[in-house]
Amino acid sequence: MSHQPRSVRGFTLVELLVVIAIIGVLVGLLLPAVQAAREAARRMSCSNNFKQIGLAVHNYHSAYNNLPVHASGTYAVGGRDPWDVNPGREISSNKRLSFLVGLTPFLEQQALWAQISNPLAINSNGSAKSPPWQAMGPHPDRVQYPPWATEVKTLRCPSDPGTGLPSLGRTNYAACMGDSAVYSRDSYLDVDEVASGAVLPYASDTAHANASGSAQRGMFVNGRAIKFRDTLDGLSNTIMCGEITTDLGDNDNRTTVPTNVGGHASPNEKNQCRLDPSYAEPYIDPERPSFWISAGLTKNATWGRGYRWHDYMPPYSQMTTVLGPNKQLCSEGRDHRDVVTPPSSRHQGGVHVLMGDGAVRFVTDSIEAGNKNAPQVANRAGSPAPGSQSPFGLWGSLGSRAAREVISGDF
């Protein structure tokens, strides 16, 4: 009895290659969808963080009958203005604290608030501090002070990869100062004279208050306790905060602050920031228009966007509705003076904004923003008079709290 040999069936090399190719094509098709789904999840998480901040602001207002003050804290008598180097940097926060510091206990950060609001006898490296840091902390650039080096998860958008030095604790959410960047560095009152016991009205203090009142048209005003009732245009029509992307040290023109053409630039030049190629040293890289050109770019590496959640200065925790979302930063003469600070994000096509009523909206980059070269409202010569309607269209109108502008329809 004879047995016939069985034939063993298997895949040929060609068949295996065809299957591998098909799997490769399917993976190639699926990966973008997976990445898009992940970004959608990150964007939703970012929006939820903003909702938490909005709820915290409303709870704060319910408790204290005003918004948390932007540009607050302690001040060393005999020191200097907040934008200068305070001789008492170890003993005073120099009126440099952002609105986010006051929000910490309303963001489930009671332990962090307890460290800030009480004397603290340790350094960031765990060593003892004697004498201890005073309540409300030192100057915001002190990396040795543990709270200033703390990353607060609620203040970070998951889509933003920024981390580590030279920043301290980063933030992706900033206070809206309105549709003008003029005097954005200046406080409502001159802290030198207030600290030394000057009696109001005092000439310089009056000048500070008038300058601030003319240009800081948003829901936050440096050094001033704003109330919801001050938003005459309606909370649902006014941006309270905006999303910002933090600096990665790559000359991104949304996160790196160059200086303009010196001194007090003309009102419309604040917005341009030497974008015109006719300048002897234009700033935009012609081969990479989303980045500044490195050659000849004057900047300070420590003024990166969003680098300090606790610092009120424009690059760190302010935004304006002058230029549209995801447009370039621009400064008048210095990297921290009169800085045009559009909101920005790592999301595709727009940014989140937090409205005064607590609603979170996604504003596209294409929102109508008027004349980008128009002078900003201020009490300076050549600028629209205080109280004028915004020259920056719908976008500018959303930033001003009391210009009596009517917002019709959705945006």
Side-chain angles (χ1 to χ4, degrees):
M1 187 173 178
S2 63
H3 295 279
Q4 297 293 329
R6 291 182 179 179
S7 61
V8 180
R9 295 188 56 83
F11 293 109
T12 66
L13 179 59
V14 172
E15 290 172 330
L16 285 173
L17 291 175
V18 170
V19 170
I20 292 172
I22 293 173
I23 293 174
V25 170
L26 292 175
V27 169
L29 293 173
L30 288 174
L31 274 179
V34 171
Q35 291 172 345
R38 287 177 176 173
E39 169 53 24
R42 289 191 292 263
R43 178 172 153 179
M44 180 63 70
S45 178
C46 183
S47 174
N48 288 338
N49 285 345
F50 233 166
K51 289 179 182 177
Q52 291 299 315
I53 292 171
L55 182 61
V57 171
H58 277 257
N59 287 338
Y60 186 102
H61 195 282
S62 295
Y64 299 107
N65 198 33
N66 59 260
L67 300 178
V69 177
H70 200 62
S72 64
T74 54
Y75 188 78
V77 177
R80 305 178 68 184
D81 287 313
W83 53 84
D84 290 323
V85 176
N86 184 345
R89 298 173 95 185
E90 301 300 311
I91 62 171
S92 168
S93 58
N94 207 27
K95 292 289 185 182
R96 284 277 293 263
L97 302 187
S98 77
F99 79 106
L100 295 170
V101 174
L103 280 188
T104 50
F106 297 87
L107 291 171
E108 299 185 357
Q109 295 292 327
Q110 290 88 346
L112 181 60
W113 172 248
Q115 285 190 330
I116 295 171
S117 58
N118 293 286
L120 189 62
I122 60 170
N123 292 311
S124 295
N125 62 4
S127 62
K129 175 71 167 68
S130 182
W133 304 104
Q134 75 159 22
M136 303 313 295
H139 192 277
D141 67 358
R142 303 288 85 181
V143 68
Q144 300 92 337
Y145 183 61
W148 295 168
T150 301
E151 288 275 359
V152 180
K153 187 176 180 180
T154 308
L155 303 182
R156 296 306 314 276
C157 173
S159 296
D160 189 297
T163 186
L165 295 173
S167 74
L168 297 181
R170 297 184 185 228
T171 178
N172 291 109
Y173 309 106
C176 181
M177 309 306 289
D179 62 336
S180 177
V182 183
Y183 305 118
S184 59
R185 176 194 67 177
D186 299 308
S187 186
Y188 177 62
L189 294 175
D190 189 309
V191 291
D192 287 338
E193 289 153 7
V194 173
S196 62
V199 178
L200 299 177
Y202 195 80
S204 181
D205 289 323
T206 301
H208 272 73
N210 288 340
S212 172
S214 71
Q216 294 181 22
R217 294 161 32 111
M219 286 191 65
F220 287 91
V221 174
N222 290 335
R224 183 177 170 188
I226 295 290
K227 303 176 185 295
F228 281 149
R229 70 182 184 189
D230 297 324
T231 306
L232 303 182
D233 290 349
L235 295 176
S236 63
N237 294 327
T238 308
I239 295 173
M240 182 163 60
C241 299
E243 183 180 4
I244 60 174
T245 186
T246 69
D247 185 40
L248 305 180
D250 57 359
N251 284 344
D252 189 322
N253 60 30
R254 303 172 304 163
T255 65
T256 303
V257 188
T259 57
N260 209 322
V261 290
H264 288 280
S266 61
N268 68 328
E269 196 170 38
K270 298 177 194 304
N271 313 354
Q272 297 173 7
C273 213
R274 297 172 83 172
L275 303 181
D276 189 334
S278 65
Y279 280 113
E281 293 180 358
Y283 282 167
I284 290 291
D285 188 334
E287 297 183 359
R288 304 169 66 212
S290 295
F291 296 83
W292 302 120
I293 193 169
S294 296
L297 176 61
T298 303
K299 63 176 184 175
N300 187 326
T302 63
W303 289 97
R305 191 76 160 127
Y307 267 11
R308 303 175 191 165
W309 64 267
H310 50 278
D311 195 331
Y312 91 102
M313 281 295 191
Y316 301 134
S317 59
Q318 293 186 22
M319 62 139 291
T320 56
T321 56
V322 178
L323 300 180
N326 285 305
K327 296 298 190 295
Q328 73 282 348
L329 297 177
C330 186
S331 172
E332 180 216 15
R334 285 181 173 175
D335 40 24
H336 61 280
R337 185 176 68 196
D338 293 12
V339 188
V340 175
T341 50
S344 54
S345 79
R346 303 287 177 182
H347 312 304
Q348 185 68 33
V351 299
H352 290 107
V353 295
L354 174 66
M355 307 303 291
D357 62 355
V360 177
R361 311 289 289 273
F362 191 79
V363 178
T364 63
D365 295 344
S366 60
I367 188 171
E368 194 274 312
N371 178 11
K372 67 178 182 180
N373 294 321
Q376 300 166 39
V377 176
N379 62 1
R380 290 180 178 173
S383 293
S388 300
Q389 290 197 346
S390 178
F392 304 113
L394 172 61
W395 177 237
S397 300
L398 290 169
S400 60
R401 70 180 182 277
R404 293 173 174 80
E405 294 154 318
V406 178
I407 307 296
S408 59
D410 206 353
F411 58 89

